[in-house]
Structures are given as C-alpha cells and as structure tokens.
Amino acid sequence: MHTSHRTRRPKKDAVQGPSAGFVADSPALSLAIHAPGQFGRVAIIDITPQAEDGVFPMRVELGETFDVSAQIFTEGRSTIGADAVLRTPHGRITQRLPMHCVNPGLDRWSVQLQAGEHSDAKPWQSDWPSIKRQLGNWSLTIEGWRDVYASWLHDARIKVAARDDIENTLQTGATILRRWAQSTDSGLHARNRRVLERAAETVADSGQDENARLAAADTPVIEQLHTTHPLREAVSTVSRPVHVQRPKSSFAAWYQFFPRSEGAHLDPETGEIVQGTLRSAVSGLERAAKEGFDVVYIPPIFPIGTTNRKGRDNALTAGAHDPGSPFGIGSELGGHDTVDPLLGTMDDFKTFCRRAHELGLEIALDFALQCSPDHPWVKEHPNWFLHKPDGSIAFAENPPKKYQDIYPIDFNEDMAGIERETERIMGLWIDAGVTIFRVDNPHTKPVRFWQDVIAAVTRKHPETLFLAEAFTRPGMMRALSYAGFTQSHCYFPWRNSKRDLSDYLPLTNGDAAFYQHNTFWPTTPDILTDYIRDNGVAGHAIRAVLAAMGSPSWGIYSGYELIENRQRAGYEEQAGNEKYEVKVRDWSKAEGSGIAELLTSLNAIRRRHPATTSYHNLSVLRTDDPNIIAFCRHTPAEFTATGKPDTLVVVVNLDGHNAHQSMVHLELGDYGLPTDQAIPMHDELTGRSFQWGWDNFVSLAPWCDVAHILSVEY
C-alpha cells in the first residue's frame, strides 16, 4: 500500500557521447492544476457515480462496499495506471487500491471500495463515539499516472526480438529502472531498491547478451513490484466527496406496529375494545426483537382531533367509540409535542424507548406535518394554513380523495417559523429516545423546507435518520434524498412480475442508490396489493424473501405474520384499516402460517452475510421460466470480516399456486468461482446442500419451497 502521495522528480540521466548535454528519458511531466476543470497530464473524466455535477456527494453506510469508475487516458499510446484513494474526514487514508481497465476501448477504469468497517453500534451504546468520529464527508481521490515501465517493457520486447535499435532501447530501460529505485512515491523498501538497481546495471551493460539484459528487467520479482509499488509519473488527481453515514442508514430491518393495538382487548362486560398503551406496547417491541428486526416504527402518538374525525375504513362519520386516525393530529390536549393521554405520558414513552434500546431496537417515530382542526397551531398560527376566500381553512385533498379531518400546512407566509417549530419538536422527541423520523408525505411540502430542517436537526443530532414516505415522481424522490432523507418508501409493492422485478432490482441496487435508498415493504397500512390478496401464505413468503434479499433495507407491517390480506372493496388497502380502528389480534395464531419463522430466518441470514448489506452488488441471473426470478449478491474476500468472499444466489418462484422449474445460469467467473468444478451450495432456508455449475436446474413449489437462498460454501 502506498503511503506517500507526492512524486519527487529523480535526478535526470545524461546520455554520454555525441549528444552529451541533451537530457534523455526524463520523467513524464506533471502538470499543476490551478483551477477546477483543468486537466492534468492524465485526463480523468466521467466519474461515476456523480449527481448534479458533483453538487451532492454520493452516500454510503459505514462499511458498505461500492463501485467507482471513470474514464482515464493520456495522449498517444502510452500505458497508464490508476489508483483510488479513500480518506476519512480527518484525512487518514483507509484504502488505496489499484483501478482496473474494464473497457479498454472506452478507457473505463473501475474499482470496488469500502468506507470503513461495518458496525451494528447503536447511538446509545458505549462504542458509539468511535463510530461517530468516522461519519461525515470522506474524500475519494482518483489518481491517474503514466506507467513508463510498462510502456517501455512492451516496446523493448518487440524491439529486442526484431533486433531494432536495441542499445537505445535498453539504455532507456536502465534509466527508468534507476528512476524507479530512487522514487519516494513508490514506497519501496531498501532491498527492493537494490533489486531494481542491480537490474538497471545489467540492462545498461552493453557487454552482455541483449536477451539477458532484457530478461534482467523482466522478472517475476520486478513484475510483483510493478503491481504493488509501481513507478508512477505525471500523477494527475481528481477528488470527490463521499458522505459516509451511520449504521442503519441503509442496511436496516424495520417493523411497524400501532401501540394502541398492542395489548388491546375486548371488555368482557361491554364488548367494546379497550385500546393498548405505551406500556402494553412493549409486547410489540419484544416480538420485533424476537423476529430479528432492528428498527421499530410507530405512527403518530399525539392527541387526535375530534372535529371531522374519521370512522372505520375512512368513513366520514365516526362512531361513538371510533378512535380516529392518528394522522389527524392535535386537540385541546396538545399537538405534535404531546403524548396522547390514551397511550400514556411522556415518561411512559421514554420508558418505552429505553426498553427498545435494551432489546437492541431503534425507535422511528412518524412525523406527519399536518393538523386536525383542533390543533393548537390553528389558533396560535392561523397564517400557517391556507384559507379559502370565505375565511375558512381548506382541508387536505387529493381529488377525488378528501381528508376532512386534516388541515395541510401552507408555507407561503412563515416557512422560517414552521422550520423552527419543526426543529424544536424533533429535538424534543430525540431527547426522549427517538433516533429516526419516518416523515409522512414529504413530497407535499417544499424540498427546501426539508433540506433546512434536516440540516439543522442533524447538526445537533448527527445520529438522526429520516425515512421518506414519498410515493411520487422520480425527480421528487431523488430531490428528497438530496435534501437529506436517508431512506425512502418506493414502488416495490407493485413490482410483482418477473419482468418488473428484473428491471426494478438493478434500479434499486444501482448507481441511483448512492443517493436514494429504497426500502422494500410488502405491505403497509395504506397498501395491500392484489398480489398479496390473491396468493395467500405463499404470496406472503414470496414477497418477504424478495424484500429482505432484494434491498439492504426492508420492512414488515404488523399483522403480516397473521396473513391479514382482506382488501377494502375497490381499494388496494386493508379492510378494517388500522389507521381508523384499534386491532385486536390473536398472536397465538401466528405460528400456523410459518411467516413469523420465515421473517426471523431472513433477518438472521441478512446478519450472517455481508453480501446483503450493499446497494451495489446485485446482478439478475438468466432463467428460462417466466415465473422464476434469480439474482446474485456478491462481496469479494477483501471486504468481508472472514477474509472469504460472500456469494448468495436467490431463486424465487413468483407463482403462489403452482410449481415451476427453470434452468438458472450462473456466470461463475464473474463471482470469482472456479469454472472447472462443481460449486457446493448451502440453502440458508432449509439447510440442504446442492452442487452448482454454469447452468442449474431448479424446481420450486409454493406448498414446499417458494425460494432458495443459496450461499457458496468455500
């Protein structure tokens, strides 16, 4: 590994004889760069990934592997080399790796890097300060350089074989070898310098056979030095920031439940539902931890308004005992800074968070920036709301949908004041134990608003993460990620066919993921697709496997284990929507479907395999059945804690009713696998073993196995 980044120009060798005084074979000239956009001697352009002309840095989680590429070239036919250097915010070099030319015709060079080491440290744990110090803007520097030794050796082999200008050629080689031995940039040990100096003496000795002279410069030892400690001349550099974020910023397993449904039961005397509280909701925390999840997400826990309160399944009129939607925020009891008394107190919430932390869980709180007509803001800040010509406040709507129980915020009058209040409220909940905010419909607010708020909050609390619930246009979703949203809901629930998934998986796990981290949720309180409705237990298993293996970040909505898949007529959402009522569930029935056990297995597989942690290592494999999809995740040995490569092959039958068979093609060489022998594969779901090669027969039946998750056994 190189430790110096400055090239010291060696002393020039003068040719004796008729041309004495003329300097021959001088080092390749370096060109100083004085302004952005100036080229060095080696041109470096088209660096990927890069967004908006480099305004927004690429984002990765600490320890995540990622690919970087660029077009790198110089004039003429000179051989070049390239390195990528990764530095922490404090300037310490953590990696210096050679780049490789992957497309000589287009001068495209690439390398895979890793920003530090993966960690599962939580913000409240004792080792958090050491993690915190590693976060922020790292520096990625691409260095292109003239490889004068390789250029010379290529030509010298040809000229000596053709007996063409041999003496000048070999004297040039001796000069280059001496320059290499004297180079400080190469980081050579003294014994290696002597190797090069002795080789230079032999190459320069005109009394020896020319083949022997050339052979002295073309040995395995020198070839190895050229690989590890090359002579780099005319080094040219281009730097880009890489924003390294904390653990769980992209690799996370989410579990959502409504605290008021946890511990809810029927009153034996009245037959009415008695809702749960923050104290009884600890059962949800324990279930999430048992199933291996990292983050518990809860909807708003603030007081719910009574004016225009919605009834069951979004009915305009609420019954006497309907609890209302937690998204109709605010009453005479308080607003976004108050715990609904029906759930408990702020002390109860702090206790809830402490218990979550004891179980290794982070708490994500829903932040919906909207109000019921009863919210204190309506009287205190009437200019924060849009008024109709008749003086009344306009309720929220998205025609034909209407939300009579919600007033949207209007940002035209006092956006700065709304920002300050939002920052205050978020700080209050962070102090109580919240580390993540799931933001409801952020795309209906100005992007700049979120950019300001997230910058202010993370300046004080850099550990805070943000999930965008933004089902909207691609440009808006990308802009929200630029603004600071760490993860995002996405259109995965509706990507169910092989064709759709074959397109969507590489999109989610491609260069776009340096900015937008898609989180795969099979269902949410607002989403229950026809596929989930129609495919029963097998459909739930299929979508869970695709979500857990298809994205580093995935989530499950409570009740998934119970196969809650009855749709509200005419809508792709659940009948008896939990947003409008308290659910009484019999969790003893969860064992019957096997889904809870599957979720637990999937999270365990994810923890065991580093290949599941990156948004940048997935490739779709070729299959010949329209209902069988297969994809591979691969992390090379140098980026795993074990020193062994990690390769997972996921094969899924998308048909929840019928068995299907297919050949699956695995391009062995692409994953560093032997091409001349059988590859032992271990099914992480069942424990069975298989032998794989280039083309492999797979048969999956929904009543038996909906999927294989195969790990290569080295």
Side-chain angles (χ1 to χ4, degrees):
M1 180 175 290
H2 303 298
T3 56
S4 174
H5 304 279
R6 293 169 294 181
T7 301
R8 185 177 67 185
R9 186 183 295 273
K11 294 180 181 179
K12 299 176 181 178
D13 295 285
V15 174
Q16 302 300 315
S19 57
F22 177 77
V23 178
D25 307 315
S26 60
L29 177 66
S30 294
L31 298 177
I33 295 175
H34 302 288
Q38 280 190 317
F39 287 106
R41 183 64 180 274
V42 176
I44 303 171
I45 64 172
D46 192 24
I47 298 172
T48 63
Q50 177 174 274
E52 314 301 328
D53 296 325
V55 172
F56 300 104
M58 69 178 82
R59 302 188 306 175
V60 296
E61 181 174 314
L62 183 69
E64 184 177 2
T65 59
F66 60 98
D67 293 320
V68 173
S69 73
Q71 282 184 274
I72 307 174
F73 51 89
T74 192
E75 78 276 4
R77 60 182 188 85
S78 298
T79 302
I80 64 169
D83 298 309
V85 185
L86 201 56
R87 294 179 175 87
T88 69
H90 309 290
R92 182 175 66 86
I93 295 176
T94 63
Q95 280 188 314
R96 177 190 288 276
L97 294 176
M99 301 182 74
H100 301 285
C101 190
V102 295
N103 189 330
L106 296 177
D107 302 305
R108 174 62 63 181
W109 292 69
S110 180
V111 67
Q112 189 172 56
L113 300 169
Q114 184 177 35
E117 296 183 1
H118 174 76
S119 171
D120 288 317
K122 309 294 195 303
W124 58 87
Q125 293 176 332
S126 59
D127 55 349
W128 176 252
S130 65
I131 298 299
K132 183 179 177 180
R133 286 193 293 271
Q134 301 178 62
L135 308 181
N137 281 343
W138 291 37
S139 174
L140 166 66
T141 302
I142 294 178
E143 301 176 339
W145 42 277
R146 297 281 291 269
D147 191 343
V148 293
Y149 168 77
S151 293
W152 169 80
L153 184 60
H154 172 271
D155 290 353
R157 287 168 174 167
I158 296 172
K159 289 191 173 186
V160 169
R163 304 192 63 77
D164 175 27
D165 197 20
I166 293 176
E167 191 59 33
N168 279 322
T169 298
L170 293 176
Q171 291 299 335
T172 297
T175 300
I176 290 171
L177 289 168
R178 293 190 194 102
R179 210 156 65 225
W180 188 359
Q182 296 167 7
S183 168
T184 57
D185 174 80
S186 297
L188 294 164
H189 297 296
R191 62 179 180 277
N192 293 327
R193 296 183 189 278
R194 289 193 293 272
V195 167
L196 294 173
E197 289 166 352
R198 286 195 294 268
E201 291 174 3
T202 301
V203 173
D205 187 353
S206 58
Q208 293 196 40
D209 174 75
E210 56 264 26
N211 289 298
R213 293 165 68 188
L214 175 62
D218 190 7
T219 68
V221 173
I222 294 178
E223 180 182 4
Q224 180 62 27
L225 289 178
H226 177 252
T227 299
T228 59
H229 299 79
L231 172 62
R232 308 186 319 154
E233 296 189 343
V235 177
S236 305
T237 64
V238 175
S239 295
R240 292 285 186 270
V242 178
H243 191 61
V244 177
Q245 298 180 308
R246 76 159 174 93
K248 302 297 174 270
S249 63
S250 61
F251 181 66
W254 295 65
Y255 190 86
Q256 178 186 6
F257 65 77
F258 284 65
R260 70 187 187 184
S261 292
E262 291 294 327
H265 60 278
L266 291 176
D267 186 311
E269 295 183 2
T270 65
E272 296 295 335
I273 294 175
V274 178
Q275 77 162 60
T277 67
L278 288 168
R279 293 186 179 185
S280 65
V282 169
S283 63
L285 297 177
E286 292 170 345
R287 184 172 63 255
K290 182 179 179 181
E291 293 180 3
F293 289 93
D294 309 306
V295 179
V296 162
Y297 152 50
I298 56 175
I301 57 171
F302 321 127
I304 299 172
T306 56
T307 302
N308 295 330
R309 175 177 285 191
K310 291 294 185 71
R312 294 192 174 192
D313 280 335
N314 204 26
L316 292 179
T317 303
H321 300 286
D322 287 340
S325 168
F327 293 89
I329 299 169
S331 74
E332 70 279 359
L333 298 173
H336 289 74
D337 55 2
T338 307
V339 175
D340 184 347
L342 292 175
L343 289 172
T345 65
M346 181 61 82
D347 284 340
D348 290 332
F349 180 72
K350 292 178 179 179
T351 300
F352 176 83
C353 290
R354 283 196 296 270
R355 179 55 181 154
H357 296 169
E358 291 170 359
L359 293 169
L361 297 167
E362 297 197 42
I363 293 297
L365 179 63
D366 197 301
F367 188 84
L369 191 54
Q370 59 203 30
C371 303
S372 88
D374 307 315
H375 196 292
W377 288 351
V378 175
K379 292 182 179 179
E380 296 170 2
H381 302 283
N383 59 326
W384 289 3
F385 303 92
L386 180 65
H387 289 70
K388 296 180 181 180
D390 64 6
S392 64
I393 297 177
F395 59 75
E397 57 181 324
N398 181 15
K401 292 183 177 181
K402 295 184 178 182
Y403 304 93
Q404 293 89 341
D405 60 335
I406 292 173
Y407 285 167
I409 302 295
D410 178 42
F411 294 86
N412 290 326
E413 294 291 332
D414 185 20
M415 192 165 92
I418 301 168
E419 286 180 356
R420 288 192 296 272
E421 178 67 354
T422 300
E423 293 159 15
R424 180 190 73 82
I425 291 168
M426 287 186 169
L428 180 149
W429 294 108
I430 291 169
D431 290 341
V434 169
T435 53
I436 305 174
F437 291 98
R438 180 269 197 189
V439 177
D440 188 72
N441 286 329
H443 55 288
T444 62
K445 288 81 178 172
V447 175
R448 174 59 182 273
F449 171 83
W450 294 119
Q451 190 173 34
D452 291 346
V453 166
I454 292 173
V457 170
T458 55
R459 191 158 43 244
K460 294 180 180 178
H461 306 281
E463 73 280 4
T464 309
L465 304 179
F466 293 83
L467 170 68
E469 190 250 357
F471 296 95
T472 185
R473 303 178 304 280
M476 174 59 81
M477 294 177 75
R478 175 65 73 91
L480 289 169
S481 70
Y482 291 162
F485 280 94
T486 323
Q487 299 179 32
S488 178
H489 279 273
C490 66
Y491 287 96
F492 167 75
W494 295 279
R495 302 298 185 259
N496 293 293
S497 71
K498 177 180 177 179
R499 179 175 180 179
D500 285 346
L501 287 164
S502 296
D503 292 339
Y504 202 67
L505 288 171
L507 182 66
T508 286
N509 294 276
D511 278 0
F514 284 106
Y515 307 97
Q516 180 178 318
H517 292 148
N518 283 344
T519 301
F520 283 4
W521 294 73
T523 64
T524 75
D526 295 306
I527 301 169
L528 197 153
T529 61
D530 293 348
Y531 182 93
I532 288 290
R533 176 197 66 194
D534 295 338
N535 284 275
V537 175
H540 282 65
I542 290 164
R543 296 302 292 177
V545 171
L546 289 170
M549 296 295 112
S551 173
S553 180
W554 79 304
I556 289 294
Y557 163 46
S558 176
Y560 198 83
E561 304 96 321
L562 296 168
I563 319 301
E564 294 180 350
N565 65 338
R566 187 169 61 88
Q567 278 183 344
R568 177 186 171 199
Y571 296 87
E572 278 196 316
E573 65 180 47
Q574 291 206 22
N577 193 315
E578 196 169 1
K579 285 173 61 175
Y580 307 102
E581 62 183 80
V582 175
K583 288 274 191 181
V584 177
R585 294 184 170 98
D586 183 356
W587 284 105
S588 67
K589 295 181 178 179
E591 296 181 3
S593 70
I595 293 298
E597 181 182 357
L598 174 63
L599 302 181
T600 306
S601 295
L602 291 171
N603 282 325
I605 293 167
R606 285 163 52 89
R607 286 194 299 272
R608 287 197 300 270
H609 289 279
T612 65
T613 64
S614 178
Y615 274 99
H616 311 290
N617 66 356
L618 182 145
S619 53
V620 176
L621 305 179
R622 189 172 73 242
T623 59
D624 51 23
D625 184 284
N627 290 283
I628 298 286
I629 188 168
F631 55 92
C632 181
R633 287 191 176 276
H634 173 73
T635 297
E638 56 266 35
F639 302 122
T640 68
T642 63
K644 297 180 179 180
D646 187 38
T647 306
L648 286 179
V649 175
V650 182
V651 188
V652 184
N653 175 10
L654 302 176
D655 185 344
H657 300 281
N658 301 291
H660 289 270
Q661 297 79 38
S662 180
M663 297 301 293
V664 180
H665 180 74
L666 184 63
E667 195 68 22
L668 300 173
D670 288 354
Y671 309 105
L673 300 173
T675 58
D676 57 352
Q677 64 186 60
I679 309 300
M681 308 286 271
H682 173 75
D683 192 336
E684 297 282 334
L685 289 174
T686 66
R688 289 179 292 173
S689 296
F690 301 92
Q691 297 287 319
W692 269 43
W694 294 88
D695 293 286
N696 310 278
F697 176 78
V698 171
S699 179
L700 293 169
W703 52 86
C704 183
D705 297 319
V706 299
H708 291 310
I709 301 177
L710 304 171
S711 60
V712 175
E713 293 187 317
Y714 290 92

